[in-house]
Amino acid sequence: MFIGQQPKAAILEDYARYVNPGRVSVFKMIGLDFIPGRREGVWLWDVDGSRKLLNCRCSGGVFNLGHRPPRVVAAVKAALDELDVGDHMLLDEMRAALGKRLAALTPGDIQYSTFSPGGAEAIDVAIKLARAYTGRPGIISVHKGYHGHTGFALATGEDSFRGKFGPMPPGFTKVPFGDADALAAAINEQTAAVIMETIPATGGILIPPDDYYPRVRQLCDQWGAQLILDEVQAGLGRTGRMWAIDEWGVVPDILVIGKGLSGGVYPMSATCHRPHLDRFFQQHPFIHLSSFGGAALGCVAALAMFDQITEPGFMEHVQAMGERFEAGFRDLRARYASIATWRRRGLMMGLEMADARMGMALSPLLAQNGVLAVFADHRPSTLQLMPPLIIQPDEVDFVLEALDRALTFLEAHPEMLEMVSALSGALGM
Ligand SMILES: Cc1ncc(COP(=O)(O)O)c(C=O)c1O
């Protein structure tokens, strides 16, 4: 009814004429003028049916449960017979139900949730709350972190994204990720919050030293700063635990969740905070509003998503599939010098290549071999692999075989790296 109404060439033309011509030319240039049509489980089909790709990008975790997960789709279809987005000013039964579920599932005594349509807005809420509660201006983020493109979220990020938009709000500074001494030197009585992705994804799937989060928590406590952890990508079972931070047993003051929260069928994110912070919202219950934040349909989708990921065996499956990938990486590294190492928690995986251009070259090569995967924007030497958490053993093997073929080609064609240099130069990367 919707997919493939127009020939692919006509869609490309309309996209270029009415949406974003720049993107169309880039995708054509790298041979990835793929337009998702049919989508199901781990697979995406090109709109003209000419090829299919196993999705190891998953839009950073939006498709944690694969495309159109049957349970979530069924719940939303049923909800459409009774509900709509709801009125964000009024109270809402579905929002209350999802808030309660989040309070039960989030770490420690995190209790309250504020809902938004996207991850960046949820980050903005977190920063607003930390600043308002502490009455301080300082926000410390980490170099090469990524929290989105709205106001405060953008201000936490790199100049590659924010530099062209004029002066950023004051009070934002950055420290290296994983270096507690650097944070100790930067934090002070003016710091409202320290914010980071628990496992920075765009920074290259970075895993901090074991004592990092306990020290970050201690420094925040010492200075009265709020700890904001962004689990927009790392949360919801991606690491084989409900939350990535569970590995370190640390409770943030604010946990930000998005992407996979509503099973890839409805835009939804949440800023979940501990009771002490709620003093501010209790004094100002209408100070933050969002027409589509906490839409009733999205809450239904999120509840169905949680039903699935809290089923017995779900996290064990993620861990087992991650280990199957790990065994494959070990075998590949023994055969290909171009793999330097890898970093992995559950199915959040980064293959570190010996050369930044190799990470970039692998995306189109993998696409030619049936796998959609991208390099980390702030660390192009890392190939991100984020398959759906429902991936099965034969599908893991399919990805590993595609990698094997892509690496054989790459090592046999070193001239590809020169082409990547020229292309990334032309694109201003
Ligand atoms: C870690 C992280 N935080 C926040 C965001 C922003 O989310 P959204 O694109 O939904 O605004 C992203 C998006 O990729 C992300 O990866």
Side-chain angles (χ1 to χ4, degrees):
M1 206 194 305
F2 299 100
I3 297 169
Q5 293 295 296
Q6 299 290 323
K8 184 170 172 180
I11 303 172
L12 286 170
E13 205 179 304
D14 285 350
Y15 205 98
R17 183 162 303 155
Y18 303 112
V19 185
N20 192 326
R23 282 199 192 183
V24 173
S25 16
V26 171
F27 282 124
K28 276 186 172 168
M29 220 185 302
I30 61 173
L32 205 66
D33 52 343
F34 175 91
I35 304 176
R38 183 178 156 208
R39 52 204 79 185
E40 224 170 274
V42 298
W43 295 102
L44 276 176
W45 281 258
D46 204 343
V47 72
D48 61 4
S50 60
R51 60 174 169 163
K52 63 175 186 171
L53 299 179
L54 197 155
N55 195 349
C56 282
R57 185 181 118 69
C58 280
S59 211
V62 171
F63 303 111
N64 273 350
L65 296 185
H67 290 278
R68 300 190 310 107
R71 272 168 97 147
V72 181
V73 169
V76 174
K77 276 186 178 167
L80 278 168
D81 286 334
E82 284 183 32
L83 300 170
D84 52 20
V85 292
D87 183 325
H88 64 295
M89 276 275 256
L90 302 182
L91 310 178
D92 187 276
E93 182 176 357
M94 292 302 109
R95 217 176 291 146
L98 180 57
K100 184 174 179 180
R101 182 76 67 92
L102 282 166
L105 292 174
T106 45
D109 60 348
I110 291 177
Q111 182 176 342
Y112 297 97
S113 292
T114 303
F115 299 103
S116 305
E121 289 152 292
I123 294 288
D124 279 6
V125 173
I127 292 176
K128 282 166 74 174
L129 183 56
R131 277 187 161 178
Y133 171 80
T134 59
R136 304 172 178 181
I139 304 294
I140 302 177
S141 57
V142 301
H143 289 296
K144 308 207 183 241
Y146 178 72
H147 302 289
H149 289 278
T150 56
F152 288 148
L154 187 65
T156 64
E158 290 295 307
D159 279 344
S160 53
F161 287 138
R162 63 177 204 175
K164 296 204 166 25
F165 301 111
M168 288 287 126
F172 287 75
T173 51
K174 291 200 222 35
V175 294
F177 177 74
D179 182 345
D181 293 334
L183 179 62
I187 197 167
N188 58 39
E189 63 289 334
Q190 286 304 307
T191 307
V194 173
I195 178 168
M196 58 191 72
E197 300 158 78
T198 310
I199 296 179
T202 310
I205 318 285
L206 306 178
I207 312 291
D210 284 347
D211 66 345
Y212 183 60
Y213 280 114
R215 286 194 64 198
V216 170
R217 179 69 271 178
Q218 180 269 317
L219 286 165
C220 287
D221 291 341
Q222 181 184 336
W223 291 97
Q226 305 303 301
L227 175 58
I228 303 172
L229 289 182
D230 176 343
E231 297 225 357
V232 167
Q233 291 213 30
L236 301 171
R238 171 56 56 189
T239 62
R241 303 170 190 259
M242 181 61 78
W243 311 110
I245 193 61
D246 291 344
E247 173 174 347
W248 293 279
V250 160
V251 179
D253 299 296
I254 306 178
L255 182 74
V256 180
I257 314 165
K259 294 210 188 257
L261 179 58
S262 40
V265 299
Y266 203 95
M268 185 82 173
S269 62
T271 309
C272 307
H273 61 268
R274 296 173 68 190
H276 65 276
L277 281 155
D278 209 56
R279 196 174 68 206
F280 175 73
F281 280 150
Q282 285 171 23
Q283 284 161 356
H284 307 280
F286 291 95
I287 201 160
H288 177 81
L289 297 168
S290 163
S291 296
F292 299 121
L297 291 170
C299 293
V300 168
L303 287 163
M305 183 282 302
F306 275 126
D307 286 347
Q308 185 165 343
I309 71 170
T310 52
E311 276 199 334
F314 187 91
M315 298 299 165
E316 288 76 5
H317 173 77
V318 175
Q319 285 156 13
M321 293 306 100
E323 278 153 25
R324 196 175 181 96
F325 269 108
E326 176 112 11
F329 295 160
R330 230 175 277 128
D331 168 57
L332 289 172
R333 190 174 59 172
R335 291 188 288 122
Y336 296 103
S338 50
I339 299 180
T341 185
W342 61 85
R343 294 176 288 277
R344 181 187 74 83
R345 286 296 185 275
L347 286 170
M348 189 162 192
M349 303 178 286
L351 210 51
E352 185 67 28
M353 306 306 292
D355 181 315
R357 296 167 302 172
M358 290 175 178
M360 296 165 108
L362 276 176
S363 293
L365 288 177
L366 280 171
Q368 279 165 23
N369 285 286
V371 171
L372 179 63
V374 292
F375 59 88
D377 229 314
H378 292 333
R379 189 177 171 120
S381 52
T382 307
L383 179 79
Q384 293 175 330
L385 288 166
M386 303 261 295
L389 308 182
I390 53 151
I391 193 168
Q392 296 301 308
D394 57 326
E395 294 159 342
V396 172
D397 296 346
F398 178 89
V399 176
L400 290 168
E401 283 157 23
L403 262 172
D404 198 344
R405 283 194 294 272
L407 288 163
T408 300
F409 186 91
L410 186 64
E411 294 200 354
H413 294 85
E415 72 279 5
M416 250 202 102
L417 300 183
E418 299 313 317
M419 280 161 54
V420 168
S421 297
L423 190 62
S424 51
L427 295 173
M429 293 171 78

